[in-house]
DNA sequence: CTTGGGAATATCT
DNA sequence: TAGATATTC
């Protein structure tokens, strides 16, 4: 019939696995991941199964974990900008997602380590070719009701599975057979995830999301579980209500206490109307159906998060009560957010338009949560800082002239959301222009990296990872994820934007429409066979070999070329020279030579710019040409390798000479500097400064600018310059 | 609340 | 709709 086949895949003790992959000596030993090890040994956020056996649980302090398990190894989450930084785990999660995408066009990221997959179609396909159902093909599949829950005994598993398969077969239970085929595919998926990422996971296979999620947890770790509809009621007889997703909180408590339901089967005695009367219409119906194993929630194809944010707590005495400290932390959060947003834009071709500042204030000893949203018109740290600070002030109503901040801040958060299609010129460096409209460009799951697992991979930047997929793979993805962008990534007509955001978008798309249109049909493919980028006093000397060409491309067959031409920023700067004849003529690129888009121009290589300039001079105009454009400002210094002693998991880390930050992924970090520069030059919105508020902010603004100047100075002193590529090439 | 932190999603009003 | 609340990982 129309039974879906849904799987939920959940990585086992995920952060622990990520750390163990980084440092294999941790393998097989009791281990937990903590953050902030100063206070009571840090807070545990992930525990591997060896340590779980000893009674260590999440939310324990490191010190307590040692009591349960003296041999436990506590690995710290990296601290960047004085706060925990989860980038490492988000990146690892994306690796997994990229593998999942190969098996279905309907993959929904549910968390950093979980995803739903709708396998209905894949199962139908497989049914056609599958000749025989030999139970041996299912290597790690349990069936609810055919083995003891929460035991991973292999003998039991095997017998149970075979019995169920025979039952289903002889009864011609097509719904169950579909689950069996789904489980076979999931076996393959999990095997692929393991071989390509090194991570183990568990999975649930059922006809809907709630049951798949429930099943997934029944035989962790490293096993998968089928939950056929026929077995639900039996399972529910002993299943505590709160085990069901969404019933783990207050609603679940209420169902238990007010309805007296200890187990899920206790819910069966209520009519739908009774439940609706007790709760609201929606929740009532939901409960009624869930109690019967029914759930219509679709798997929504979405690989990207809808918001990107960071936050930090300031508990107890650490509450921020000095303006200086408040500013310090807004700045740290703004820095992290800016970096992540920039990477997100390059990888995902979207821009966040709304910034939500959240805070918990201590008022009369009580925790008071609130939030304020403002337009996010630039990804620059300073801009984020200013609007965030303003938003915070509106809630706190604190006298700007006083050093003390009141009420004390116990929690600060910055989150960016309301994404829309990026019109960022940065993107023009990475892809053929627009034809890649909503329907084509956005469809690929370009948040993912499908690069094979290898030593190289850990060192490759997101630019590299992003573009390393081969053509066929990418096309497959394009086809497989048809509505990805329209429905889930971008705010279209359907999910209309707030007036606040709309206003800004109108503002954003201002000038040079004619030229933009023109550019849309061109590809800028920068090429350069020279590894040395020399950097003198903020200026660049250009070697002869730096060349550049532009291909004219019809709007139709772009997909393939698009993928082929995509490249890393590094390679972008280091590729082979192309014939100068291939360059697009300046007069073609700038049909109206009197109206040259400076942003675009500054992004072009010097030799090409010179051509344009000559053309323009011939138009007899005195030009105020930019002395050095974006490309020329790209300075790459080699990082200084640090001893990994003091750092978690024994990873190689590097000190960036440009900003002094200690980073794990040096290339990525350098790419970020490049991207920041690109962003600054290409992506700032011409905007009228809000006069009323700018005066009060001015003071801090200056300070902040001074600060970033200091960083720049640092980079100017850099003597040795090397290409990113050279640094890591073996 | 009192040091269970950081992050993301969905729903309600 | 923005802001708060609930839930989850
Ligand atoms: N309160 C929580 C719960 C989880 N996580 C992080 C750490 C986990 O590694 C990851 C995935 O969460 P899971 O609930 O899936 O837990 P694990 O993957 O660690 O273990 P399991 O094997 O039970 O899935 O999310 C977290 O930071 N804080
Ligand atoms: Mg997990």
């Amino acid at each position: 019939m129309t039974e879906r086949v849904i799987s939920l895949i959940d990585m086992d003790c995920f952060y622990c696995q990520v750390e163990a992959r980084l440092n294999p000596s941790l393998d097989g030993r009791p281990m937990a991941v903590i953050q902030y090890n100063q206070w009571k040994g840090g807070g545990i956020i992930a525990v591997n199964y060896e340590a779980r056996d000893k009674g260590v649980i999440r939310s324990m302090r490191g010190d307590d974990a040692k009591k349960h398990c003296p041999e436990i190894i506590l690995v710290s989450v990296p601290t960047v900008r004085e706060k925990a930084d989860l980038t490492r785990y988000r990146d690892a999660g994306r690796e997994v997602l990229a593998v999942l995408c190969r098996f279905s066009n309907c993959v929904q990221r549910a968390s950093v380590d979980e995803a739903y997959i709708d396998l209905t179609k894949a199962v139908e396909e497989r049914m056609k070719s599958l000749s025989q159902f030999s139970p041996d093909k299912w290597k790690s599949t349990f069936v609810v009701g055919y083995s003891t829950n929460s035991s991973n005994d292999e003998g039991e598993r095997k017998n149970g599975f075979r019995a169920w398969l025979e039952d289903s077969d002889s009864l011609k239970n097509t719904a169950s057979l579909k689950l069996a085929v789904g489980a076979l595919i999931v076996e393959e998926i999990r095997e692929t995830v393991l071989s390509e990422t090194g991570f183990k996971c568990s999975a649930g296979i059922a006809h809907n999301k709630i049951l798949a999620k429930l099943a997934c947890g029944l035989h962790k770790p490293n096993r998968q579980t089928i939950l056929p509809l026929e077995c639900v009621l039996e399972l529910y007889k002993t299943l505590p209500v709160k085990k069901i997703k969404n019933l783990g909180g207050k609603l679940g408590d209420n169902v238990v206490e007010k309805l007296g339901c200890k187990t899920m089967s206790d819910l069966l005695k209520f009519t739908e109307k009774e439940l609706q009367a007790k709760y609201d219409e929606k929740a009532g119906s939901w409960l009624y159906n869930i109690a019967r194993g029914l759930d219509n929630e679709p798997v929504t194809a979405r690989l990207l998060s809808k918001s990107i944010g960071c936050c930090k707590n300031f508990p107890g005495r650490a509450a921020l009560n000095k303006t200086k400290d408040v500013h310090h932390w807004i700045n740290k959060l703004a820095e992290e957010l800016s970096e992540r947003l920039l990477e997100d834009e390059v990888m995902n071709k979207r821009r966040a338009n709304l910034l939500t500042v959240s805070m918990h204030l201590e008022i009369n000893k009580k925790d008071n949560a609130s939030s304020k949203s403002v337009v996010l018109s630039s990804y620059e740290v300073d801009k984020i800082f200013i609007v965030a600070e303003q938003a915070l002030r509106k809630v706190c109503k604190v006298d700007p002239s006083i050093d003390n901040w009141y009420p004390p801040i116990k929690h600060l958060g910055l989150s960016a959301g309301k994404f829309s299609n990026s019109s960022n010129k940065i993107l023009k460096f990475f892809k053929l222009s627009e034809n890649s409209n909503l329907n084509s460009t956005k469809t690929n799951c370009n948040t993912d990296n499908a690069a094979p697992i290898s030593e190289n991979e850990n060192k490759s930047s997101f630019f590299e990872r992003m573009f390393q997929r081969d053509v066929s793979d990418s096309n497959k993805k394009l086809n497989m994820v048809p509505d990805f962008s329209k429905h889930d990534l971008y705010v279209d007509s359907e999910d209309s934007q707030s007036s606040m955001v709309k206003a800004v978008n109108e503002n954003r798309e201002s000038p040079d429409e004619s030229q933009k249109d023109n550019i849309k049909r061109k590809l800028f493919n920068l090429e350069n066979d020279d590894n040395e980028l020399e950097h003198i006093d903020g200026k660049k000397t250009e070697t002869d070999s730096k060349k550049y060409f532009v291909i004219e491309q019809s709007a139709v067959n772009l997909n393939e070329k698009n993928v082929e031409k995509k490249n890393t920023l590094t390679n972008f700067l280091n590729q082979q020279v192309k014939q100068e004849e291939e360059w697009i003529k300046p007069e073609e690129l700038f049909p109206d030579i009197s109206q040259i888009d400076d942003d675009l121009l500054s992004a072009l290589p010097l030799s090409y710019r010179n051509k344009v300039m000559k053309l323009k001079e011939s138009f007899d105009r005195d030009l105020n040409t930019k002395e050095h454009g974006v490309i020329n400002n790209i300075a790459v210094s080699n990082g200084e390798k640090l001893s990994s002693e003091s750092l978690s998991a024994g990873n190689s880390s590097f000190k960036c000479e440009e900003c002094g930050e200690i980073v794990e992924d040096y290339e990525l970090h350098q790419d970020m500097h490049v991207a920041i520069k690109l962003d600054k030059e290409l992506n700032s919105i011409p905007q009228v400064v809000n006069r009323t508020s700018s005066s009060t902010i001015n003071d801090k603004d200056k300070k902040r600018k001074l600060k970033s100047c200091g960083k720049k100075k640092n980079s100017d002193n850099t003597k040795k310059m090397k290409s990113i590529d050279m640094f890591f090439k073996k």
Side-chain angles (χ1 to χ4, degrees), chain A residues 10-14 113 220:
Chain A
D10 183 302
M11 310 309 293
D12 301 327
C13 55
F14 188 48
D113 87 323
K220 260 183 173 289

Side-chain angles (χ1 to χ4, degrees), chain A residues 424-441:
Chain A
N424 191 340
K425 291 164 192 158
I426 286 179
L427 301 183
K428 299 194 189 313
F429 288 89
F430 296 94
K431 64 180 180 76
L432 285 179
S433 53
E434 248 9 60
N435 99 290
S436 10
N437 49 25
L438 276 178
N439 290 327
S440 57
T441 331

Side-chain angles (χ1 to χ4, degrees), chain A residues 305-339:
Chain A
S305 50
K306 293 177 170 181
S307 65
I308 292 175
C310 51
C311 60
K312 174 142 184 65
N313 279 355
F314 307 97
R317 274 189 306 301
L320 307 179
N321 56 8
K322 290 278 187 287
T323 302
K324 171 172 61 69
D325 294 333
V326 173
H327 286 178
H328 174 81
W329 286 109
I330 298 175
N331 192 40
K332 294 299 166 199
L333 294 174
E335 284 174 356
E336 180 182 331
L337 186 63
S338 172
E339 182 175 307

